[in-house]
Amino acid sequence: AEMALAIGMGLVGTVLASFGLFLLHSSSTVTGGTAGLALLLSYALPVPFGAIFVAVNLPFLIAAISRKGLDFTLRTLLAIAVLTALTALHTAVVPPLTLPPLYAALLGNVLAGVGLLILFRHRASLGGFNIVGLIMQERRGIPAGYVQLVLDLMVLLASLIVLPLPLVAVSALGAVVLNVAIALNHRADRYTGW
């Protein structure tokens, strides 16, 4: 029963995060992390988001095996695969959206942040910077959200190469919202789930 709950909640978290990324992609904004890096590269290269997202996450998954264990790594790999499939599904099923970038960046990052919190609390992530943030929180006591925020800001700075400054500024605001929500809510004294 507990495993079924973890799988179900992991699916809910992944659905929320994937739709958040879909909103970001629909408005040509980005976020941080490997998802943001994959979005950014998908704007610059003729390669689908999903393929880039999986490729960017591989080195982090290798690190996760030794630092977070096989169970966490397998859950994360499953979440990455489901997110990749759902992102493609959203693109195929939902008609093209015209959203104001500020709205899309804020709502997309809130959805992605809630999705990540659900995954974190059920011993999974979406790979990449999430893994680094969780390791730093566990080993050094630095909140995962703040670690991710620094790494995310580096991705957002790199996005200036591809995106205009107003979209990068809106994207940065969304990334701050996502990471502050994680920093305030993903703490050892809160619910940690199965």
Side-chain angles (χ1 to χ4, degrees), residues 126-192:
L126 289 175
F129 297 167
N130 299 157
I131 293 169
V132 175
L134 290 170
I135 291 170
M136 292 298 289
Q137 180 167 321
E138 291 168 5
R139 309 238 179 205
R140 303 277 185 239
I142 302 167
Y146 297 140
V147 172
Q148 287 181 196
L149 181 58
V150 170
L151 296 170
D152 289 353
L153 290 175
M154 288 193 258
V155 170
L156 290 164
L157 285 174
S159 68
L160 285 168
I161 297 168
V162 177
L163 298 175
L165 181 58
L167 285 180
V168 174
V170 166
S171 298
L173 179 61
V176 168
V177 167
L178 180 148
N179 286 299
V180 169
I182 290 172
L184 295 176
N185 289 288
H186 184 65
R187 301 184 338 218
D189 62 338
R190 303 230 184 214
Y191 165 77
T192 55

Side-chain angles (χ1 to χ4, degrees), residues 72-121:
F72 172 88
T73 305
L74 291 175
R75 288 174 188 233
T76 297
L77 185 59
L78 180 61
I80 289 169
V82 171
L83 180 119
T84 301
L86 287 173
T87 304
L89 178 67
H90 298 319
T91 303
V93 172
V94 179
L97 300 175
T98 304
L99 300 171
L102 179 61
Y103 175 82
L106 292 177
L107 183 58
N109 276 291
V110 165
L111 289 172
V114 171
L116 285 170
L117 282 168
I118 292 169
L119 288 167
F120 290 174
R121 290 181 177 160

